[in-house]
Amino acid sequence: DAKTTQPTSMDCAEGRAANLPCNHSTISGNEYVYWYRQIHSQGPQYIIHGLKNNETNEMASLIITEDRKSSTLILPHATLRDTAVYYCIVRMYNQGGKLIFGQGTELSVKP
Amino acid sequence: GAVVSQHPSRVICKSGTSVKIECRSLDFQATTMFWYRQFPKQSLMLMATSNEGSKATYEQGVEKDKFLINHASLTLSTLTVTSAHPEDSSFYICSARGRRTEAFFGQGTRLTVV
C-alpha cells in the first residue's frame, strides 16, 4: 500500500473549517484514500473514503487532487468534540479491508 | 455506521494467566476481522487478520502461539493473550468488515498485566 504523509499536529478554532492535508504521491490507480479518526482511548471511527472524485457525507468532505497525489479532509464547522487524531490511509478497496495506520494528525479544536 | 462491540473494555490480570477479549459485529456479518495493538502515544499496529472459518494470518513479529485468534462465526472473533506478561499491557482494538462495508472498529480493551 502507498505510504502517506500527514502533519503531526494542527490547531483549529471552534466553528471554523478544519482542513487536514495528506500526501500520497506513490498512490496507484486502484488504491482508495480512507480517513479515520481516533478520539482519545477509543477505537477509530470511519469518516469517509474516495478514489478520484470529491466526496461528501454528513461528517466531512474529501477533496482529492486531479493527479491523486494528495488529498484534504475538510470538517466544515469544527467543534470541540472533533479533537482527535486523524488518519489518512491508502489501500486497495478489495484487499481484505486491511488498514495500515501511520502516525496521523493530532487535531486540537480550541474555543 | 455499523456497530462493533468489544468486551471487556478494561481488564487487569496477573502475570502468567490468560485473558480472552471478544469482538462482535452487532448488525452485519463480518467476513473479516482484524486485531490491533496500540501502545501509549503510538499509532495502531496490525497484529493479525482473520476470516470466518479460517486460521488467522499474523503480521511479522507477532507470536501466533501467544496471541490466539478464533473467528468461529460471522459475528464473533476472540483474541486470547496466553501467559500474559507486563510487556503485553496495551490497548487492544478489533475491527470488522463485511462484504460491502468499510472496516468498523470496536471501542478497545485496555489490558493491564500485573
mmCIF file of all heavy atoms in Angstrom, chain A residues 34 36 38 40-46 49 87 91 93-104, chain B residues 32 34 36 38 41-44 46 49 59 91 93 95 97 100-108 110:
data_model
loop_
_atom_site.group_PDB
_atom_site.id
_atom_site.type_symbol
_atom_site.label_atom_id
_atom_site.label_comp_id
_atom_site.label_asym_id
_atom_site.label_seq_id
_atom_site.Cartn_x
_atom_site.Cartn_y
_atom_site.Cartn_z
ATOM 1 N N TYR A 34 -8.677 6.591 2.393
ATOM 2 C CA TYR A 34 -9.604 6.460 3.525
ATOM 3 C C TYR A 34 -9.182 7.418 4.646
ATOM 4 O O TYR A 34 -7.998 7.651 4.855
ATOM 5 C CB TYR A 34 -9.579 5.039 4.100
ATOM 6 C CG TYR A 34 -10.260 4.008 3.240
ATOM 7 C CD1 TYR A 34 -9.626 3.473 2.121
ATOM 8 C CD2 TYR A 34 -11.534 3.556 3.557
ATOM 9 C CE1 TYR A 34 -10.261 2.526 1.331
ATOM 10 C CE2 TYR A 34 -12.172 2.604 2.777
ATOM 11 C CZ TYR A 34 -11.524 2.093 1.668
ATOM 12 O OH TYR A 34 -12.152 1.162 0.894
ATOM 13 N N TYR A 36 -9.905 7.988 8.821
ATOM 14 C CA TYR A 36 -10.458 7.571 10.109
ATOM 15 C C TYR A 36 -9.987 8.573 11.159
ATOM 16 O O TYR A 36 -9.002 9.284 10.951
ATOM 17 C CB TYR A 36 -9.953 6.173 10.507
ATOM 18 C CG TYR A 36 -10.615 5.034 9.785
ATOM 19 C CD1 TYR A 36 -10.259 4.712 8.477
ATOM 20 C CD2 TYR A 36 -11.596 4.267 10.405
ATOM 21 C CE1 TYR A 36 -10.874 3.660 7.811
ATOM 22 C CE2 TYR A 36 -12.213 3.211 9.753
ATOM 23 C CZ TYR A 36 -11.842 2.916 8.452
ATOM 24 O OH TYR A 36 -12.451 1.877 7.799
ATOM 25 N N GLN A 38 -9.455 8.967 15.642
ATOM 26 C CA GLN A 38 -9.442 8.272 16.915
ATOM 27 C C GLN A 38 -9.453 9.311 18.037
ATOM 28 O O GLN A 38 -8.488 10.072 18.184
ATOM 29 C CB GLN A 38 -8.223 7.363 17.049
ATOM 30 C CG GLN A 38 -8.235 6.532 18.326
ATOM 31 C CD GLN A 38 -7.038 5.610 18.457
ATOM 32 O OE1 GLN A 38 -5.971 5.867 17.917
ATOM 33 N NE2 GLN A 38 -7.216 4.519 19.197
ATOM 34 N N HIS A 40 -9.374 10.112 21.958
ATOM 35 C CA HIS A 40 -8.533 9.515 22.995
ATOM 36 C C HIS A 40 -9.184 8.311 23.679
ATOM 37 O O HIS A 40 -10.322 8.381 24.122
ATOM 38 C CB HIS A 40 -8.189 10.582 24.038
ATOM 39 C CG HIS A 40 -7.265 10.087 25.108
ATOM 40 N ND1 HIS A 40 -5.981 9.642 24.823
ATOM 41 C CD2 HIS A 40 -7.437 9.929 26.427
ATOM 42 C CE1 HIS A 40 -5.410 9.268 25.946
ATOM 43 N NE2 HIS A 40 -6.269 9.430 26.933
ATOM 44 N N SER A 41 -8.416 7.191 23.705
ATOM 45 C CA SER A 41 -8.824 5.963 24.409
ATOM 46 C C SER A 41 -10.084 5.314 23.827
ATOM 47 O O SER A 41 -10.802 4.603 24.526
ATOM 48 C CB SER A 41 -9.046 6.229 25.905
ATOM 49 O OG SER A 41 -7.824 6.570 26.508
ATOM 50 N N GLN A 42 -10.349 5.560 22.546
ATOM 51 C CA GLN A 42 -11.455 4.892 21.871
ATOM 52 C C GLN A 42 -10.947 4.209 20.607
ATOM 53 O O GLN A 42 -9.828 4.455 20.166
ATOM 54 C CB GLN A 42 -12.545 5.893 21.497
ATOM 55 C CG GLN A 42 -13.200 6.585 22.685
ATOM 56 C CD GLN A 42 -14.312 7.522 22.255
ATOM 57 O OE1 GLN A 42 -14.895 7.375 21.180
ATOM 58 N NE2 GLN A 42 -14.621 8.504 23.091
ATOM 59 N N GLY A 43 -11.775 3.359 20.024
ATOM 60 C CA GLY A 43 -11.420 2.769 18.747
ATOM 61 C C GLY A 43 -11.585 3.784 17.625
ATOM 62 O O GLY A 43 -12.354 4.741 17.750
ATOM 63 N N PRO A 44 -10.867 3.622 16.514
ATOM 64 C CA PRO A 44 -11.010 4.554 15.389
ATOM 65 C C PRO A 44 -12.427 4.570 14.824
ATOM 66 O O PRO A 44 -13.139 3.569 14.881
ATOM 67 C CB PRO A 44 -10.017 4.011 14.359
ATOM 68 C CG PRO A 44 -9.008 3.271 15.165
ATOM 69 C CD PRO A 44 -9.798 2.658 16.290
ATOM 70 N N GLN A 45 -12.783 5.714 14.273
ATOM 71 C CA GLN A 45 -14.103 5.917 13.680
ATOM 72 C C GLN A 45 -13.935 6.209 12.195
ATOM 73 O O GLN A 45 -13.143 7.086 11.814
ATOM 74 C CB GLN A 45 -14.808 7.085 14.375
ATOM 75 C CG GLN A 45 -16.159 7.446 13.799
ATOM 76 C CD GLN A 45 -16.720 8.736 14.404
ATOM 77 O OE1 GLN A 45 -15.987 9.571 14.910
ATOM 78 N NE2 GLN A 45 -18.033 8.885 14.345
ATOM 79 N N TYR A 46 -14.674 5.493 11.357
ATOM 80 C CA TYR A 46 -14.637 5.742 9.918
ATOM 81 C C TYR A 46 -15.234 7.110 9.609
ATOM 82 O O TYR A 46 -16.259 7.500 10.175
ATOM 83 C CB TYR A 46 -15.423 4.656 9.191
ATOM 84 C CG TYR A 46 -15.738 4.972 7.741
ATOM 85 C CD1 TYR A 46 -14.771 4.846 6.750
ATOM 86 C CD2 TYR A 46 -17.001 5.418 7.363
ATOM 87 C CE1 TYR A 46 -15.050 5.138 5.431
ATOM 88 C CE2 TYR A 46 -17.291 5.714 6.046
ATOM 89 C CZ TYR A 46 -16.318 5.568 5.086
ATOM 90 O OH TYR A 46 -16.605 5.867 3.773
ATOM 91 N N HIS A 49 -14.263 7.943 2.482
ATOM 92 C CA HIS A 49 -13.240 7.437 1.578
ATOM 93 C C HIS A 49 -13.576 7.857 0.147
ATOM 94 O O HIS A 49 -14.730 8.219 -0.161
ATOM 95 C CB HIS A 49 -13.080 5.918 1.683
ATOM 96 C CG HIS A 49 -14.168 5.119 1.010
ATOM 97 N ND1 HIS A 49 -15.389 4.904 1.613
ATOM 98 C CD2 HIS A 49 -14.219 4.492 -0.190
ATOM 99 C CE1 HIS A 49 -16.137 4.169 0.816
ATOM 100 N NE2 HIS A 49 -15.460 3.909 -0.288
ATOM 101 N N TYR A 87 -6.382 9.939 10.752
ATOM 102 C CA TYR A 87 -5.509 9.081 9.968
ATOM 103 C C TYR A 87 -5.956 9.048 8.507
ATOM 104 O O TYR A 87 -7.127 8.787 8.213
ATOM 105 C CB TYR A 87 -5.529 7.656 10.507
ATOM 106 C CG TYR A 87 -4.989 7.503 11.905
ATOM 107 C CD1 TYR A 87 -5.837 7.440 13.001
ATOM 108 C CD2 TYR A 87 -3.616 7.380 12.118
ATOM 109 C CE1 TYR A 87 -5.338 7.275 14.279
ATOM 110 C CE2 TYR A 87 -3.109 7.213 13.399
ATOM 111 C CZ TYR A 87 -3.972 7.165 14.476
ATOM 112 O OH TYR A 87 -3.471 6.994 15.739
ATOM 113 N N ARG A 91 -5.332 2.304 0.474
ATOM 114 C CA ARG A 91 -5.314 0.862 0.251
ATOM 115 C C ARG A 91 -6.211 0.504 -0.913
ATOM 116 O O ARG A 91 -7.090 1.257 -1.307
ATOM 117 C CB ARG A 91 -5.767 0.124 1.499
ATOM 118 C CG ARG A 91 -7.246 0.251 1.815
ATOM 119 C CD ARG A 91 -7.681 -0.866 2.745
ATOM 120 N NE ARG A 91 -9.069 -0.738 3.142
ATOM 121 C CZ ARG A 91 -10.084 -1.242 2.451
ATOM 122 N NH1 ARG A 91 -9.875 -1.876 1.321
ATOM 123 N NH2 ARG A 91 -11.320 -1.111 2.899
ATOM 124 N N TYR A 93 -9.292 -1.293 -2.516
ATOM 125 C CA TYR A 93 -10.625 -1.466 -1.937
ATOM 126 C C TYR A 93 -10.902 -2.904 -1.538
ATOM 127 O O TYR A 93 -11.472 -3.165 -0.490
ATOM 128 C CB TYR A 93 -11.689 -0.994 -2.921
ATOM 129 C CG TYR A 93 -13.080 -0.970 -2.349
ATOM 130 C CD1 TYR A 93 -13.446 0.014 -1.421
ATOM 131 C CD2 TYR A 93 -14.024 -1.917 -2.707
ATOM 132 C CE1 TYR A 93 -14.712 0.044 -0.890
ATOM 133 C CE2 TYR A 93 -15.291 -1.880 -2.173
ATOM 134 C CZ TYR A 93 -15.632 -0.898 -1.271
ATOM 135 O OH TYR A 93 -16.890 -0.861 -0.732
ATOM 136 N N ASN A 94 -10.485 -3.857 -2.344
ATOM 137 C CA ASN A 94 -10.844 -5.250 -2.067
ATOM 138 C C ASN A 94 -9.699 -6.060 -1.479
ATOM 139 O O ASN A 94 -9.699 -7.260 -1.539
ATOM 140 C CB ASN A 94 -11.345 -5.925 -3.346
ATOM 141 C CG ASN A 94 -12.686 -5.384 -3.750
ATOM 142 O OD1 ASN A 94 -13.542 -5.144 -2.907
ATOM 143 N ND2 ASN A 94 -12.868 -5.156 -5.025
ATOM 144 N N GLN A 95 -8.738 -5.376 -0.889
ATOM 145 C CA GLN A 95 -7.595 -6.086 -0.317
ATOM 146 C C GLN A 95 -7.902 -6.543 1.100
ATOM 147 O O GLN A 95 -7.147 -6.281 2.031
ATOM 148 C CB GLN A 95 -6.368 -5.187 -0.335
ATOM 149 C CG GLN A 95 -5.053 -5.940 -0.167
ATOM 150 C CD GLN A 95 -3.879 -5.001 -0.164
ATOM 151 O OE1 GLN A 95 -3.987 -3.838 0.168
ATOM 152 N NE2 GLN A 95 -2.721 -5.494 -0.553
ATOM 153 N N GLY A 96 -9.053 -7.219 1.270
ATOM 154 C CA GLY A 96 -9.398 -7.777 2.566
ATOM 155 C C GLY A 96 -9.639 -6.751 3.639
ATOM 156 O O GLY A 96 -9.697 -7.092 4.818
ATOM 157 N N GLY A 97 -9.804 -5.495 3.292
ATOM 158 C CA GLY A 97 -10.102 -4.480 4.291
ATOM 159 C C GLY A 97 -8.952 -4.141 5.204
ATOM 160 O O GLY A 97 -9.130 -3.466 6.207
ATOM 161 N N LYS A 98 -7.767 -4.580 4.908
ATOM 162 C CA LYS A 98 -6.601 -4.370 5.776
ATOM 163 C C LYS A 98 -6.218 -2.900 5.786
ATOM 164 O O LYS A 98 -6.001 -2.295 4.739
ATOM 165 C CB LYS A 98 -5.455 -5.221 5.235
ATOM 166 C CG LYS A 98 -4.229 -5.314 6.090
ATOM 167 C CD LYS A 98 -3.314 -6.387 5.457
ATOM 168 C CE LYS A 98 -1.968 -6.429 6.110
ATOM 169 N NZ LYS A 98 -1.148 -7.526 5.566
ATOM 170 N N LEU A 99 -6.164 -2.300 6.940
ATOM 171 C CA LEU A 99 -5.800 -0.892 7.099
ATOM 172 C C LEU A 99 -4.504 -0.784 7.890
ATOM 173 O O LEU A 99 -4.418 -1.264 9.010
ATOM 174 C CB LEU A 99 -6.905 -0.132 7.829
ATOM 175 C CG LEU A 99 -8.241 -0.002 7.115
ATOM 176 C CD1 LEU A 99 -9.296 0.547 8.061
ATOM 177 C CD2 LEU A 99 -8.119 0.903 5.900
ATOM 178 N N ILE A 100 -3.521 -0.153 7.291
ATOM 179 C CA ILE A 100 -2.246 0.067 7.963
ATOM 180 C C ILE A 100 -2.185 1.536 8.370
ATOM 181 O O ILE A 100 -2.236 2.428 7.518
ATOM 182 C CB ILE A 100 -1.065 -0.279 7.045
ATOM 183 C CG1 ILE A 100 -1.193 -1.727 6.544
ATOM 184 C CG2 ILE A 100 0.253 -0.052 7.770
ATOM 185 C CD1 ILE A 100 -1.175 -2.768 7.624
ATOM 186 N N PHE A 101 -2.080 1.788 9.663
ATOM 187 C CA PHE A 101 -2.119 3.139 10.190
ATOM 188 C C PHE A 101 -0.732 3.761 10.269
ATOM 189 O O PHE A 101 0.221 3.120 10.714
ATOM 190 C CB PHE A 101 -2.742 3.128 11.592
ATOM 191 C CG PHE A 101 -4.234 2.927 11.601
ATOM 192 C CD1 PHE A 101 -4.776 1.671 11.395
ATOM 193 C CD2 PHE A 101 -5.090 3.993 11.801
ATOM 194 C CE1 PHE A 101 -6.141 1.472 11.380
ATOM 195 C CE2 PHE A 101 -6.463 3.812 11.794
ATOM 196 C CZ PHE A 101 -6.988 2.553 11.590
ATOM 197 N N GLY A 102 -0.646 5.028 9.837
ATOM 198 C CA GLY A 102 0.552 5.825 10.050
ATOM 199 C C GLY A 102 0.416 6.566 11.370
ATOM 200 O O GLY A 102 -0.345 6.153 12.249
ATOM 201 N N GLN A 103 1.122 7.676 11.486
ATOM 202 C CA GLN A 103 1.112 8.436 12.746
ATOM 203 C C GLN A 103 -0.060 9.396 12.856
ATOM 204 O O GLN A 103 -0.437 9.808 13.943
ATOM 205 C CB GLN A 103 2.422 9.193 12.923
ATOM 206 C CG GLN A 103 3.617 8.266 13.119
ATOM 207 C CD GLN A 103 3.406 7.280 14.248
ATOM 208 O OE1 GLN A 103 3.076 7.650 15.372
ATOM 209 N NE2 GLN A 103 3.544 5.988 13.947
ATOM 210 N N GLY A 104 -0.644 9.788 11.730
ATOM 211 C CA GLY A 104 -1.811 10.657 11.776
ATOM 212 C C GLY A 104 -1.514 12.093 12.154
ATOM 213 O O GLY A 104 -0.375 12.464 12.452
ATOM 214 N N THR B 32 -14.417 -10.633 7.625
ATOM 215 C CA THR B 32 -13.021 -10.467 8.024
ATOM 216 C C THR B 32 -12.952 -9.626 9.292
ATOM 217 O O THR B 32 -13.666 -8.629 9.413
ATOM 218 C CB THR B 32 -12.208 -9.757 6.921
ATOM 219 O OG1 THR B 32 -12.391 -10.438 5.685
ATOM 220 C CG2 THR B 32 -10.723 -9.747 7.268
ATOM 221 N N PHE B 34 -10.043 -7.958 12.194
ATOM 222 C CA PHE B 34 -8.657 -7.572 12.392
ATOM 223 C C PHE B 34 -8.422 -7.271 13.859
ATOM 224 O O PHE B 34 -9.294 -6.739 14.541
ATOM 225 C CB PHE B 34 -8.330 -6.322 11.568
ATOM 226 C CG PHE B 34 -8.735 -6.412 10.125
ATOM 227 C CD1 PHE B 34 -10.003 -6.038 9.719
ATOM 228 C CD2 PHE B 34 -7.846 -6.884 9.183
ATOM 229 C CE1 PHE B 34 -10.387 -6.130 8.392
ATOM 230 C CE2 PHE B 34 -8.207 -6.978 7.851
ATOM 231 C CZ PHE B 34 -9.482 -6.608 7.456
ATOM 232 N N TYR B 36 -5.710 -5.222 16.425
ATOM 233 C CA TYR B 36 -4.638 -4.248 16.512
ATOM 234 C C TYR B 36 -4.195 -4.100 17.969
ATOM 235 O O TYR B 36 -4.944 -4.394 18.896
ATOM 236 C CB TYR B 36 -5.112 -2.866 16.015
ATOM 237 C CG TYR B 36 -5.444 -2.759 14.550
ATOM 238 C CD1 TYR B 36 -6.679 -3.181 14.070
ATOM 239 C CD2 TYR B 36 -4.541 -2.219 13.644
ATOM 240 C CE1 TYR B 36 -7.002 -3.071 12.717
ATOM 241 C CE2 TYR B 36 -4.855 -2.096 12.291
ATOM 242 C CZ TYR B 36 -6.078 -2.528 11.850
ATOM 243 O OH TYR B 36 -6.389 -2.405 10.509
ATOM 244 N N GLN B 38 -2.149 -1.076 20.450
ATOM 245 C CA GLN B 38 -1.704 0.313 20.469
ATOM 246 C C GLN B 38 -1.067 0.625 21.812
ATOM 247 O O GLN B 38 -1.713 0.522 22.854
ATOM 248 C CB GLN B 38 -2.895 1.257 20.218
ATOM 249 C CG GLN B 38 -2.513 2.708 20.078
ATOM 250 C CD GLN B 38 -3.693 3.597 19.717
ATOM 251 O OE1 GLN B 38 -4.820 3.326 20.116
ATOM 252 N NE2 GLN B 38 -3.452 4.646 18.959
ATOM 253 N N LYS B 41 0.814 6.824 23.147
ATOM 254 C CA LYS B 41 1.414 7.830 22.267
ATOM 255 C C LYS B 41 1.837 7.244 20.907
ATOM 256 O O LYS B 41 2.580 7.898 20.177
ATOM 257 C CB LYS B 41 2.647 8.469 22.925
ATOM 258 C CG LYS B 41 2.376 9.075 24.288
ATOM 259 C CD LYS B 41 1.789 10.437 24.173
ATOM 260 C CE LYS B 41 1.706 11.077 25.554
ATOM 261 N NZ LYS B 41 0.805 12.226 25.579
ATOM 262 N N GLN B 42 1.399 6.034 20.581
ATOM 263 C CA GLN B 42 1.757 5.434 19.305
ATOM 264 C C GLN B 42 0.523 5.152 18.470
ATOM 265 O O GLN B 42 -0.602 5.212 18.966
ATOM 266 C CB GLN B 42 2.547 4.136 19.527
ATOM 267 C CG GLN B 42 3.906 4.334 20.184
ATOM 268 C CD GLN B 42 4.705 3.054 20.239
ATOM 269 O OE1 GLN B 42 4.472 2.115 19.487
ATOM 270 N NE2 GLN B 42 5.670 3.006 21.143
ATOM 271 N N SER B 43 0.751 4.834 17.218
ATOM 272 C CA SER B 43 -0.341 4.522 16.311
ATOM 273 C C SER B 43 -0.766 3.058 16.484
ATOM 274 O O SER B 43 -0.141 2.302 17.226
ATOM 275 C CB SER B 43 0.103 4.769 14.871
ATOM 276 O OG SER B 43 -0.978 4.613 13.994
ATOM 277 N N LEU B 44 -1.836 2.675 15.808
ATOM 278 C CA LEU B 44 -2.291 1.292 15.864
ATOM 279 C C LEU B 44 -1.355 0.404 15.059
ATOM 280 O O LEU B 44 -0.937 0.766 13.953
ATOM 281 C CB LEU B 44 -3.703 1.159 15.266
ATOM 282 C CG LEU B 44 -4.871 1.678 16.089
ATOM 283 C CD1 LEU B 44 -4.977 3.193 16.009
ATOM 284 C CD2 LEU B 44 -6.158 1.034 15.633
ATOM 285 N N LEU B 46 -1.193 -3.361 13.360
ATOM 286 C CA LEU B 46 -1.965 -4.541 13.000
ATOM 287 C C LEU B 46 -1.253 -5.793 13.491
ATOM 288 O O LEU B 46 -0.066 -5.984 13.241
ATOM 289 C CB LEU B 46 -2.151 -4.607 11.485
ATOM 290 C CG LEU B 46 -2.941 -5.790 10.946
ATOM 291 C CD1 LEU B 46 -4.395 -5.740 11.423
ATOM 292 C CD2 LEU B 46 -2.900 -5.815 9.418
ATOM 293 N N THR B 49 -5.048 -10.828 10.902
ATOM 294 C CA THR B 49 -6.286 -10.777 10.128
ATOM 295 C C THR B 49 -6.926 -12.148 10.180
ATOM 296 O O THR B 49 -6.231 -13.157 10.004
ATOM 297 C CB THR B 49 -5.980 -10.419 8.662
ATOM 298 O OG1 THR B 49 -5.298 -9.173 8.613
ATOM 299 C CG2 THR B 49 -7.259 -10.348 7.845
ATOM 300 N N GLU B 59 0.776 -10.803 11.392
ATOM 301 C CA GLU B 59 1.790 -9.902 10.859
ATOM 302 C C GLU B 59 3.167 -10.330 11.372
ATOM 303 O O GLU B 59 3.295 -11.020 12.405
ATOM 304 C CB GLU B 59 1.491 -8.466 11.273
ATOM 305 C CG GLU B 59 0.195 -7.918 10.690
ATOM 306 C CD GLU B 59 0.202 -7.843 9.177
ATOM 307 O OE1 GLU B 59 1.129 -7.225 8.608
ATOM 308 O OE2 GLU B 59 -0.726 -8.403 8.559
ATOM 309 N N PHE B 91 -3.386 -1.406 24.677
ATOM 310 C CA PHE B 91 -4.764 -1.169 24.250
ATOM 311 C C PHE B 91 -4.992 -2.046 23.023
ATOM 312 O O PHE B 91 -4.310 -1.882 22.005
ATOM 313 C CB PHE B 91 -4.930 0.318 23.924
ATOM 314 C CG PHE B 91 -6.339 0.779 23.725
ATOM 315 C CD1 PHE B 91 -7.329 0.510 24.653
ATOM 316 C CD2 PHE B 91 -6.693 1.515 22.602
ATOM 317 C CE1 PHE B 91 -8.637 0.948 24.472
ATOM 318 C CE2 PHE B 91 -8.005 1.969 22.415
ATOM 319 C CZ PHE B 91 -8.972 1.675 23.346
ATOM 320 N N ILE B 93 -7.478 -3.454 20.031
ATOM 321 C CA ILE B 93 -8.649 -2.981 19.294
ATOM 322 C C ILE B 93 -8.975 -3.960 18.171
ATOM 323 O O ILE B 93 -8.079 -4.382 17.440
ATOM 324 C CB ILE B 93 -8.393 -1.591 18.672
ATOM 325 C CG1 ILE B 93 -7.877 -0.616 19.726
ATOM 326 C CG2 ILE B 93 -9.656 -1.044 18.017
ATOM 327 C CD1 ILE B 93 -7.309 0.670 19.132
ATOM 328 N N SER B 95 -11.385 -4.836 14.673
ATOM 329 C CA SER B 95 -12.071 -4.196 13.560
ATOM 330 C C SER B 95 -12.770 -5.277 12.756
ATOM 331 O O SER B 95 -12.276 -6.397 12.656
ATOM 332 C CB SER B 95 -11.047 -3.457 12.695
ATOM 333 O OG SER B 95 -11.633 -2.959 11.527
ATOM 334 N N ARG B 97 -15.106 -6.178 9.085
ATOM 335 C CA ARG B 97 -15.530 -5.735 7.755
ATOM 336 C C ARG B 97 -16.437 -6.800 7.149
ATOM 337 O O ARG B 97 -16.129 -7.981 7.195
ATOM 338 C CB ARG B 97 -14.314 -5.526 6.854
ATOM 339 C CG ARG B 97 -14.656 -5.047 5.453
ATOM 340 C CD ARG B 97 -13.397 -4.794 4.636
ATOM 341 N NE ARG B 97 -13.693 -4.282 3.321
ATOM 342 C CZ ARG B 97 -13.796 -5.031 2.225
ATOM 343 N NH1 ARG B 97 -13.635 -6.324 2.293
ATOM 344 N NH2 ARG B 97 -14.068 -4.476 1.066
ATOM 345 N N ARG B 100 -19.743 -5.735 1.957
ATOM 346 C CA ARG B 100 -19.925 -4.451 1.284
ATOM 347 C C ARG B 100 -19.763 -3.274 2.243
ATOM 348 O O ARG B 100 -20.259 -2.211 1.989
ATOM 349 C CB ARG B 100 -21.296 -4.374 0.633
ATOM 350 C CG ARG B 100 -21.489 -5.317 -0.515
ATOM 351 C CD ARG B 100 -22.720 -4.942 -1.314
ATOM 352 N NE ARG B 100 -22.939 -5.870 -2.413
ATOM 353 C CZ ARG B 100 -23.672 -6.959 -2.308
ATOM 354 N NH1 ARG B 100 -24.240 -7.268 -1.172
ATOM 355 N NH2 ARG B 100 -23.843 -7.755 -3.344
ATOM 356 N N THR B 101 -19.089 -3.475 3.339
ATOM 357 C CA THR B 101 -18.959 -2.391 4.307
ATOM 358 C C THR B 101 -17.500 -2.000 4.460
ATOM 359 O O THR B 101 -16.596 -2.759 4.136
ATOM 360 C CB THR B 101 -19.507 -2.791 5.681
ATOM 361 O OG1 THR B 101 -18.708 -3.860 6.197
ATOM 362 C CG2 THR B 101 -20.947 -3.215 5.572
ATOM 363 N N GLU B 102 -17.281 -0.817 4.982
ATOM 364 C CA GLU B 102 -15.926 -0.427 5.355
ATOM 365 C C GLU B 102 -15.571 -1.138 6.648
ATOM 366 O O GLU B 102 -16.391 -1.822 7.235
ATOM 367 C CB GLU B 102 -15.855 1.089 5.549
ATOM 368 C CG GLU B 102 -16.348 1.872 4.375
ATOM 369 C CD GLU B 102 -15.838 1.264 3.062
ATOM 370 O OE1 GLU B 102 -14.632 1.060 2.928
ATOM 371 O OE2 GLU B 102 -16.677 0.990 2.183
ATOM 372 N N ALA B 103 -14.343 -0.988 7.090
ATOM 373 C CA ALA B 103 -13.923 -1.584 8.352
ATOM 374 C C ALA B 103 -14.400 -0.694 9.495
ATOM 375 O O ALA B 103 -14.195 0.516 9.476
ATOM 376 C CB ALA B 103 -12.405 -1.720 8.386
ATOM 377 N N PHE B 104 -15.079 -1.319 10.474
ATOM 378 C CA PHE B 104 -15.533 -0.588 11.654
ATOM 379 C C PHE B 104 -14.850 -1.155 12.879
ATOM 380 O O PHE B 104 -14.536 -2.343 12.933
ATOM 381 C CB PHE B 104 -17.064 -0.680 11.772
ATOM 382 C CG PHE B 104 -17.770 0.034 10.658
ATOM 383 C CD1 PHE B 104 -18.185 -0.645 9.525
ATOM 384 C CD2 PHE B 104 -17.994 1.404 10.733
ATOM 385 C CE1 PHE B 104 -18.814 0.005 8.476
ATOM 386 C CE2 PHE B 104 -18.636 2.070 9.693
ATOM 387 C CZ PHE B 104 -19.034 1.386 8.560
ATOM 388 N N PHE B 105 -14.630 -0.296 13.861
ATOM 389 C CA PHE B 105 -13.794 -0.654 14.992
ATOM 390 C C PHE B 105 -14.587 -0.781 16.286
ATOM 391 O O PHE B 105 -15.583 -0.076 16.493
ATOM 392 C CB PHE B 105 -12.698 0.401 15.182
ATOM 393 C CG PHE B 105 -11.638 0.355 14.118
ATOM 394 C CD1 PHE B 105 -11.865 0.919 12.874
ATOM 395 C CD2 PHE B 105 -10.422 -0.264 14.362
ATOM 396 C CE1 PHE B 105 -10.896 0.864 11.881
ATOM 397 C CE2 PHE B 105 -9.449 -0.317 13.383
ATOM 398 C CZ PHE B 105 -9.685 0.244 12.140
ATOM 399 N N GLY B 106 -14.112 -1.676 17.150
ATOM 400 C CA GLY B 106 -14.649 -1.751 18.494
ATOM 401 C C GLY B 106 -14.083 -0.621 19.342
ATOM 402 O O GLY B 106 -13.243 0.155 18.891
ATOM 403 N N GLN B 107 -14.558 -0.551 20.577
ATOM 404 C CA GLN B 107 -14.154 0.558 21.445
ATOM 405 C C GLN B 107 -12.818 0.310 22.124
ATOM 406 O O GLN B 107 -12.295 1.186 22.801
ATOM 407 C CB GLN B 107 -15.232 0.841 22.491
ATOM 408 C CG GLN B 107 -15.497 -0.301 23.465
ATOM 409 C CD GLN B 107 -16.593 -1.243 22.984
ATOM 410 O OE1 GLN B 107 -16.607 -1.689 21.839
ATOM 411 N NE2 GLN B 107 -17.508 -1.563 23.887
ATOM 412 N N GLY B 108 -12.256 -0.889 21.960
ATOM 413 C CA GLY B 108 -10.945 -1.181 22.512
ATOM 414 C C GLY B 108 -10.995 -1.811 23.895
ATOM 415 O O GLY B 108 -11.978 -1.658 24.635
ATOM 416 N N ARG B 110 -8.504 -2.188 27.312
ATOM 417 C CA ARG B 110 -7.272 -1.793 27.998
ATOM 418 C C ARG B 110 -6.832 -2.957 28.872
ATOM 419 O O ARG B 110 -7.489 -3.282 29.857
ATOM 420 C CB ARG B 110 -7.528 -0.553 28.862
ATOM 421 C CG ARG B 110 -6.340 -0.088 29.680
ATOM 422 C CD ARG B 110 -5.330 0.639 28.858
ATOM 423 N NE ARG B 110 -5.893 1.791 28.158
ATOM 424 C CZ ARG B 110 -5.270 2.444 27.187
ATOM 425 N NH1 ARG B 110 -4.085 2.063 26.803
ATOM 426 N NH2 ARG B 110 -5.853 3.485 26.627
#
